Amino acid sequence: RAAAVMWVAVGLVVVLVVLLLLKYVFGSSGPSPFDFDAREPLKPMVLDRKEKNKVLKQGRILHLHAHSRLGFLTSKVPQGLDAIVIGSGPGGLGVASLLAKVGKKVLVLEQHDKAGGCSHTFSEKGFEFDVGIHYIGDLEERKLPRCLVDQLTNGQLQWDAMDNPYEEVILGPPENRRIYPIYSGKDRFPQELKKCFPGEEKAIDEFVRLIKKCNDGAWLMVMLKLIPAPIAKFLVYSGLVDRLSIYFRYGSRSLAEVVNSLTQNKDLRAVLCYIFGTYGKAPKEASFSMHSLLLCHFMPGAWYPKGGASEIAYHMIPIIEKAGGAVLVRAPVNRILLNEAKEAIGVTVMKGHEEVYVHAPIIISDAGIFNTYQKLLPKEVQTMPAIQKQLSLVTHGEAAFSVFLGLDGTKEELGLEAKNFWIFPENNLDELMEDFLKGDRDEAIKNVPLIFLASPSAKDSTWEQRSPGKSTLTVVSFAPYSWFEEWKDGKVKNRAGDYKELKETLINSILEVIYQVFPKIKNRIEYVDCGTAITNQHYIASPRGEIYGADHGISRFTTDFCISIKADTPIKNLYLTGQDAALCGFSGALTGAMLCASKILNRNLYVDIFNLWRKLRKANKKVQ
């Protein structure tokens, strides 16, 4: 009898949990930004940089004579705000766009002089460079992720498909170079790998099966971040989470562990792990689930924003403005204001040496968890146990550096293609990265172990019209913040001579490798510069030069992390959006925006966008 009573009790608990899940996953009470299809007929593309800057650089004050930037225009701050967003990256603009679509008046404050965060571009000597958007996956026409991006930009953001293969993995020195093409396509991806690695069919099939299964289980991560903490904790501590999905089981296993168990072929191991640079952790420290998400993200193909990465912000800002909001640059937030009950009620913005107070009932931070908790909140609030608990779960991501090349010549003349290249000196990726990151700076910097190389100009179909006869190349890799920290307080464009010498050494070592891949660019370079960890610190306000937010190591993919760090924070009316609220990259930042807006609007926006997508798909089938 006791056993029967116990099972009845267990059954009742399960039924209660299911009912609560149904309520929080499918129930809703607030307005939805996806009630109707927001796409509008395509407007003519604006290719003139000055015209685009009228949208991307709003709110600046320029001194009439010296043209020095003095701060933002307080007169541009709308009255009666519903929310303030700190930071204008895709996560910040994304959540502001979602809220604007339900009539919320949102003010986005950006410390840099151009909106966009990691999706902004800059121009030097007639060349435009992207800084963070190099390629995006999963954007097939009429698929759900594309539907979301279309709704966030009213259908105005267009995409250019990259080549297939969209990437090449290059291993070894010039005298023993092996080149492995990476193809998109759920069938073609493994088929082409098998051509490169005969006899490894079983390993490749099992690898593909595992990454797909992990990717299919990622919905559970989103759900745990949406539902109330008590229900999330019950699902975790009861063990139900692991029965529902392998996402967290493989999330706590390293990429190297899983791959090494499948094959002894060292080149194949390297090729299966190559894309770790898109989240910043070497294979032995990387989560297999994180890696799975990235590979599956690009399985349908790879795309680049038509007109350049600045198109993302350019098409989100008008939606925010239409609802009465604004996106203002040169507006560095200094503090988050709290009332006596420790509820967020506004922010202060630095205008020269003066603090300007701006109030709103909701404050959203796209500035990252470290900036939000350790810089913007009062000291006495930072010590709250709930905040310290979250901070104990995170570490800074690895700092990145970039090299930007402006070239004289078209893509045809220079042999540039709409694909990326991942270049490694050998196949022992973990050993290479560890020796580099822990090595002596002045020696290590001469032998960079990972080079991501891409041509933004070759990917963008409008480039030739915008910059005829010119081309660009961009390199991304990693180097410790500590290597550059001693110069962090210098003027950003006029730092000390020894810093410039270090950058020149780094550039030259990179160029030696690039010339091997693109020999035609030699003697065609008109502009070259390097952005280091302290460059990132200045322009995108990353605390230690990181580009992917908080570290994406194995601990980030535990259930404890997932249910502890969500969009809603321990401070009432203060929310997180962007990469640190979800995952890295453009799609990860938009996931953070969706999670954040779902919390604020008290409804599951993933259900809403799914319903809209299904409705549009049915309508399209009828038309066909």
Side-chain angles (χ1 to χ4, degrees):
R1 176 174 287 188
V5 170
M6 183 190 75
W7 283 111
V8 169
V10 170
L12 288 172
V13 169
V14 170
V15 169
L16 180 61
V17 169
V18 169
L19 290 173
L20 287 169
L21 277 175
L22 289 172
K23 176 188 174 185
Y24 284 102
V25 174
F26 297 104
S28 60
S29 60
S32 170
F34 304 121
D35 277 341
F36 61 93
D37 182 9
R39 290 176 300 170
E40 300 171 352
L42 272 178
K43 298 169 185 174
M45 285 197 74
V46 176
L47 302 180
D48 183 82
R49 195 178 301 137
K50 289 182 179 178
E51 283 300 310
K52 287 182 77 170
N53 282 342
K54 290 177 183 178
V55 174
L56 297 170
K57 291 190 171 188
Q58 292 189 71
R60 294 187 307 164
I61 300 176
L62 293 178
H63 192 280
L64 290 176
H65 301 291
H67 294 286
S68 59
R69 294 184 285 265
L70 301 177
F72 81 114
L73 280 166
T74 52
S75 61
K76 292 271 189 178
V77 176
Q79 298 299 306
L81 290 169
D82 294 303
I84 294 170
V85 178
I86 305 167
S88 69
L93 292 176
V95 72
S97 177
L98 289 167
L99 296 178
K101 283 178 175 293
V102 296
K104 303 290 185 185
K105 193 183 290 186
V106 185
L107 172 64
V108 181
L109 297 168
E110 169 57 49
Q111 59 95 31
H112 186 30
D113 70 354
K114 192 174 187 180
C118 278
S119 69
H120 86 270
T121 60
F122 73 95
S123 298
E124 290 287 350
K125 294 190 176 180
F127 296 97
E128 182 183 73
F129 298 98
D130 59 23
V131 297
I133 301 291
H134 305 297
Y135 63 141
I136 297 168
D138 216 6
L139 286 173
E140 286 179 295
E141 288 276 2
R142 301 188 181 92
K143 295 294 184 179
L144 183 57
R146 179 63 174 268
C147 180
L148 172 60
V149 175
D150 284 347
Q151 297 305 310
L152 288 174
T153 59
N154 286 359
Q156 299 304 302
L157 182 56
Q158 301 175 60
W159 300 92
D160 282 321
M162 289 169 55
D163 295 344
N164 200 18
Y166 65 96
E167 299 195 291
E168 287 185 3
V169 180
I170 302 175
L171 302 177
E175 64 273 14
N176 184 29
R177 180 144 289 169
R178 291 92 69 198
I179 300 175
Y180 299 104
I182 305 297
Y183 286 83
S184 60
K186 64 179 182 179
D187 295 322
R188 195 170 184 189
F189 172 71
Q191 285 170 0
E192 297 292 341
L193 283 178
K194 290 173 185 177
K195 290 179 185 176
C196 295
F197 297 99
E200 294 289 342
E201 292 82 3
K202 186 179 177 182
I204 291 167
D205 284 340
E206 180 61 8
F207 177 79
V208 171
R209 185 188 73 82
L210 286 174
I211 64 171
K212 286 180 178 177
K213 200 165 183 184
C214 285
N215 183 67
D216 290 344
W219 64 271
L220 190 57
M221 179 268 291
V222 172
M223 188 187 76
L224 288 177
K225 288 183 176 292
L226 280 175
I227 61 179
I231 304 176
K233 288 178 180 177
F234 173 80
L235 290 172
V236 168
Y237 300 135
S238 67
L240 287 172
V241 160
D242 286 334
R243 290 182 177 275
L244 291 169
S245 164
I246 70 167
Y247 178 82
F248 288 106
R249 270 186 284 145
Y250 275 85
S252 59
R253 293 183 64 184
S254 79
L255 172 62
E257 176 197 348
V258 176
V259 169
N260 291 354
S261 71
L262 298 176
T263 179
Q264 296 299 310
N265 187 306
K266 291 185 178 179
D267 268 19
L268 177 57
R269 286 178 174 180
V271 169
L272 296 181
C273 294
Y274 83 94
I275 206 171
F276 73 86
T278 55
Y279 52 86
K281 297 301 291 184
K284 71 176 182 181
E285 298 175 324
S287 160
F288 184 78
S289 287
M290 177 70 233
H291 197 76
S292 299
L293 294 181
L294 260 297
L295 283 176
C296 291
H297 179 65
F298 291 110
M299 200 77 78
W303 287 263
Y304 185 78
K306 186 176 182 178
S310 63
E311 285 285 294
I312 297 168
Y314 183 73
H315 290 300
M316 285 188 183
I317 291 171
I319 296 169
I320 298 162
E321 293 174 338
K322 187 177 179 181
V327 178
L328 303 182
V329 300
R330 299 295 297 178
V333 171
N334 192 46
R335 291 186 292 145
I336 294 172
L337 299 171
L338 308 179
N339 61 16
E340 291 183 0
K342 290 188 170 56
E343 299 168 340
I345 58 169
V347 301
T348 66
V349 184
M350 295 306 297
K351 182 181 177 183
H353 298 293
E354 172 194 358
E355 267 192 320
V356 178
Y357 286 68
V358 187
H359 292 90
I362 292 171
I363 309 300
I364 302 164
S365 179
D366 189 32
I369 193 168
F370 290 107
N371 283 333
T372 305
Y373 288 168
Q374 295 181 332
K375 291 185 177 180
L376 300 180
L377 287 176
K379 294 288 185 188
E380 64 274 15
V381 175
Q382 294 177 22
T383 59
M384 286 174 56
I387 285 178
Q388 287 302 308
K389 155 74 172 173
Q390 290 192 17
L391 287 172
S392 72
L393 295 172
V394 291
T395 56
H396 292 279
E398 194 63 67
F401 72 85
S402 302
V403 177
F404 305 99
L405 298 172
L407 308 169
D408 175 32
T410 65
K411 63 181 180 181
E412 292 82 8
E413 292 168 345
L414 301 174
L416 306 180
E417 300 172 278
K419 66 172 70 166
N420 306 320
F421 299 84
W422 293 85
I423 308 168
F424 304 93
E426 250 316 325
N427 56 24
N428 53 333
L429 307 186
D430 277 311
E431 187 181 340
L432 290 169
M433 291 301 295
E434 185 171 6
D435 289 349
F436 176 74
L437 295 174
K438 293 182 179 178
D440 174 71
R441 179 190 71 188
D442 294 335
E443 285 305 311
I445 214 161
K446 298 173 185 175
N447 298 286
V448 179
L450 178 162
I451 292 177
F452 170 86
L453 175 62
S455 173
S457 59
K459 298 174 186 177
D460 179 9
S461 61
T462 72
W463 179 269
E464 187 61 27
Q465 186 180 349
R466 294 190 291 133
S467 302
K470 306 292 182 183
S471 295
T472 58
L473 280 171
T474 303
V475 168
V476 181
S477 192
F478 301 91
Y481 175 74
S482 59
W483 288 5
F484 309 97
E485 188 173 11
E486 63 187 276
W487 299 290
K488 67 182 175 66
D489 296 322
K491 290 185 178 180
V492 68
K493 290 196 175 182
N494 191 28
R495 300 192 199 270
D498 46 356
Y499 172 72
K500 293 176 182 177
E501 288 175 13
L502 185 65
K503 286 208 312 179
E504 190 172 342
T505 302
L506 180 57
I507 288 169
N508 289 335
S509 69
I510 294 288
L511 285 177
E512 283 183 30
V513 178
I514 295 177
Y515 290 150
Q516 295 163 14
V517 181
F518 293 119
K520 293 180 181 178
I521 74 165
K522 206 166 187 177
N523 303 319
R524 305 294 289 270
I525 298 173
E526 292 188 348
Y527 171 83
V528 61
D529 201 0
C530 175
T532 69
I534 55 176
T535 314
N536 298 337
Q537 192 178 49
H538 175 82
Y539 287 109
I540 61 173
S542 56
R544 296 182 65 82
E546 58 269 50
I547 55 174
Y548 299 132
D551 188 75
H552 278 68
I554 291 170
S555 62
R556 182 159 179 159
F557 297 86
T558 61
T559 50
D560 187 32
F561 186 101
C562 184
I563 64 177
S564 297
I565 298 180
K566 301 183 175 185
D568 46 340
T569 74
I571 305 297
K572 189 176 180 182
N573 303 329
L574 174 62
Y575 297 86
L576 298 176
T577 185
Q579 297 185 122
D580 284 357
L583 294 170
C584 65
F586 175 75
S587 297
L590 291 189
T591 300
M594 286 283 284
L595 291 169
C596 183
S598 293
K599 288 286 185 180
I600 292 169
L601 298 176
N602 195 27
R603 62 182 300 129
N604 186 339
L605 296 188
Y606 279 97
V607 171
D608 292 342
I609 189 64
F610 177 79
N611 288 336
L612 175 61
W613 168 69
R614 190 171 55 177
K615 177 181 165 186
L616 295 175
R617 191 173 59 168
K618 284 182 180 177
N620 185 63
K621 284 181 179 178
K622 284 182 181 179
V623 170
Q624 288 179 341

